[in-house]
Amino acid sequence: MGERALRGTRLGATSYENDRNTDLAPRQEVPYTCPKGHHFDVPLAAEAEIPATWECRNCGATALRVDAEQPQQKKAKPPRTHWDMLLERRTIEDLEEVLNERLAILRAQRRKSA
């Protein structure tokens, strides 16, 4: 290319090569269906492992492959709360005792300031 042809272009941002004399990898169209009724196809390489789920292009929900079964959900542990962790360290009787001690301290401070 002459220098004049390159003037004003974004070098490196655009490829000037074409697809002539190249063989593209074999592809397959995989249909997916969204729970909201959206249908779309995803082009994948022929040797690629086909996922059972794909994010819907329209709404972002999890779409299921047309000929696939619903994948089994992994059993998730419920999140531990502050209360759960507290009960691992103390019994209810201990907690009631600490609460009564703190309430006594607060009541004593109120009496002094009143």
Side-chain angles (χ1 to χ4, degrees):
M1 283 188 169
E3 185 179 322
R4 182 162 250 223
L6 294 176
R7 191 173 296 158
T9 62
R10 299 174 305 222
L11 287 176
T14 306
S15 174
Y16 293 105
E17 294 183 15
N18 55 28
D19 292 336
R20 277 186 278 163
N21 301 328
T22 57
D23 294 328
L24 298 176
R27 299 186 183 275
Q28 59 181 334
E29 294 279 328
V30 181
Y32 286 89
T33 303
C34 173
K36 296 183 180 177
H38 303 124
H39 303 285
F40 58 94
D41 293 333
V42 178
L44 296 171
E47 67 272 359
E49 183 179 330
I50 302 171
T53 59
W54 197 272
E55 184 177 317
C56 179
R57 295 177 178 171
N58 298 321
C59 64
T62 302
L64 184 64
R65 194 173 72 214
V66 171
D67 58 347
E69 297 177 5
Q70 184 71 23
Q72 292 186 5
Q73 297 290 331
K74 294 179 182 174
K75 191 171 184 178
K77 294 189 331 187
R80 284 180 30 191
T81 63
H82 176 73
W83 181 249
D84 295 333
M85 290 184 270
L86 187 63
L87 288 178
E88 289 175 4
R89 295 189 310 267
R90 295 181 182 253
T91 64
I92 297 291
E93 292 80 23
D94 291 340
L95 293 173
E96 287 176 352
E97 186 179 323
V98 171
L99 175 65
N100 290 331
E101 289 174 7
R102 293 301 301 164
L103 288 173
I105 292 171
L106 289 173
R107 288 179 185 134
Q109 288 175 350
R110 284 189 180 170
R111 285 188 207 126
K112 287 182 184 176
S113 64

